[in-house]
Amino acid sequence: MRTLLFIAACLAATLASLSCDPVHDSAVDALGAEAPGVSKGPKHRPGQPCITCHDGSLGSPQHFSVAGTIFLNQEDLTPANGATVTLISADNNTAQAVTNSAGNFYVTPQQFTPAYPMKVTVDYTGRVRAKMTSHVGRDGSCADCHTDPAGPTSAGHVFVPVDGVTP
Amino acid sequence: MSGRFFTRARALGLFVASTALVASSVNACNVPATDGRVVETAPDRATFAPVSALLERRCGSLDCHGQASRNLRLYGNEGLRLAQEGDASRPSSTVNTTDAEVTENYLSVVGLEPELMSQVVREGASNPLRLTLMRKPLGIENHKGGTLFQAGDSQVVCVTSWLAGHTDAVTCGQ
């Protein structure tokens, strides 16, 4: 009887929010509301872990395999518009994506599903190439490792350093 | 027997216990670690650094074992940093993994399965697959991070050589 009730409750919850995973729900909630004046779309939520929401689960927005935001500097959150992100899969397949005016880029599983570990480089027109020396183990959201502030558990937001290696 | 007697006895016991605790922590030289893990026959810390470097690189990214919540918790210069209070350490490719971080990785690795680890070392690493540390990356046991080692590859040789007491640093660096 209890079980039935639980299943019924879950069904109801699923219908209401199209999700029955409290951990996932609270991770999404923790990211807060949309910024005022920015509509849900390619330029929203710069710097956030896109795939926490865009994870392909039932009722989620468009599924991304890799997504994130590139900023110009370490010091502030000026977006890097038109930066090219190159993703190198463990099986040597590569994909490229170019950031929009919010600094955001995203790749769908149809376009590219990396085998991990994945390597990443970022090129910014007329500036530099920034290469991530370490690799990504399994997580397609840059911001899961690149959150602010930088500290023992985070590399800080992704930026294209002025003194990076010239391609 | 009155409840009161019990209470007194309890209080006395508590006093003795806490005195012992204070005494032991003052004289902390030969007390087991507070989490109580004891590995009777541990592989060598002195030759662990090349093994640590391999594990950091292969397993220790921030989205995998470079997380404080993992049983196999790995620190490293390009992953989770061991922060001292007020310290601004961050993952970076331009600094090195610290000795304290290597020690933490060592403790994490030997403390995963203390009895099995002791056995594997006593056996001269003739059966390293007793360890989850080996079975998971080899894909023999379900592993969320996938299959990362192949039987006989340099990574397996590296870890096994350390377990056997003669770390093959050259192979570890490959």
Side-chain angles (χ1 to χ4, degrees):
Chain A
M1 185 59 197
R2 278 254 179 87
T3 324
L4 265 179
L5 268 177
F6 179 73
I7 293 174
C10 253
L11 265 176
T14 310
L15 288 177
S17 71
L18 286 172
S19 159
C20 207
D21 177 352
V23 176
H24 176 257
D25 291 352
S26 65
V28 169
D29 288 348
L31 295 173
E34 299 291 327
V38 184
S39 56
K40 287 176 187 166
K43 295 179 189 170
H44 77 149
R45 299 181 177 271
Q48 290 201 354
C50 317
I51 298 170
T52 300
C53 303
H54 291 266
D55 65 350
S57 66
L58 189 64
S60 90
Q62 191 182 11
H63 188 190
F64 299 149
S65 51
V66 184
T69 311
I70 314 294
F71 298 93
L72 263 193
N73 312 300
Q74 185 164 24
E75 300 74 31
D76 58 55
L77 297 178
T78 312
N81 185 357
T84 303
V85 181
T86 305
L87 308 165
I88 307 156
S89 171
D91 57 18
N92 282 325
N93 280 329
T94 62
Q96 287 195 326
V98 178
T99 56
N100 59 29
S101 61
N104 284 350
F105 75 93
Y106 47 92
V107 177
T108 64
Q110 293 76 27
Q111 295 169 321
F112 179 67
T113 300
Y116 289 100
M118 174 178 72
K119 294 269 185 193
V120 184
T121 54
V122 180
D123 288 273
Y124 186 67
T125 326
R127 207 170 187 184
V128 283
R129 161 171 297 176
K131 189 174 190 305
M132 183 167 138
T133 334
S134 56
H135 61 237
V136 178
R138 65 170 206 231
D139 198 332
S141 278
C142 310
D144 275 323
C145 300
H146 288 278
T147 46
D148 284 323
T153 61
S154 168
H157 62 257
V158 180
F159 63 97
V160 222
V162 186
D163 58 354
V165 191
T166 317
Chain B
M1 229 188 278
S2 72
R4 196 153 167 199
F5 173 81
F6 253 140
T7 320
R8 277 228 190 126
R10 270 246 196 94
L12 189 71
L14 211 82
F15 175 71
V16 172
S18 50
T19 315
L21 208 80
V22 171
S24 69
S25 56
V26 167
N27 178 9
C29 312
N30 52 6
V31 181
T34 43
D35 63 3
R37 289 180 300 203
V38 180
V39 189
E40 309 156 49
T41 322
D44 195 16
R45 162 65 182 90
T47 60
F48 179 68
V51 184
S52 180
L54 167 82
L55 298 177
E56 288 164 36
R57 199 169 62 239
R58 288 300 277 155
C59 328
S61 58
L62 287 169
D63 52 351
C64 297
H65 290 277
Q67 290 185 14
S69 58
R70 299 269 175 237
N71 288 331
L72 174 61
R73 180 200 297 177
L74 297 171
Y75 293 91
N77 65 324
E78 290 178 341
L80 180 65
R81 302 312 311 272
L82 180 63
Q84 315 296 339
E85 210 168 329
D87 182 355
S89 300
R90 49 165 285 187
S92 160
S93 54
T94 54
V95 298
N96 292 323
T97 299
T98 65
D99 201 49
E101 287 170 333
V102 175
T103 297
E104 285 300 322
N105 294 347
Y106 171 80
L107 293 173
S108 179
V109 168
V110 301
L112 274 177
E113 294 169 302
E115 290 84 2
L116 287 176
M117 181 56 95
S118 300
Q119 187 179 352
V120 166
V121 172
R122 274 199 310 274
E123 294 166 346
S126 58
N127 188 1
L129 295 186
R130 289 188 197 284
L131 299 173
T132 308
L133 178 73
M134 299 301 275
R135 288 195 310 275
K136 285 210 175 235
L138 277 161
I140 297 169
E141 193 171 300
N142 186 35
H143 183 219
K144 201 166 177 185
T147 300
L148 301 162
F149 291 6
Q150 306 296 331
D153 74 5
S154 61
Q155 310 171 102
V156 172
V157 170
C158 168
V159 180
T160 310
S161 70
W162 170 63
L163 294 169
H166 44 76
T167 304
D168 183 345
V170 175
T171 304
C172 291
Q174 279 168 11

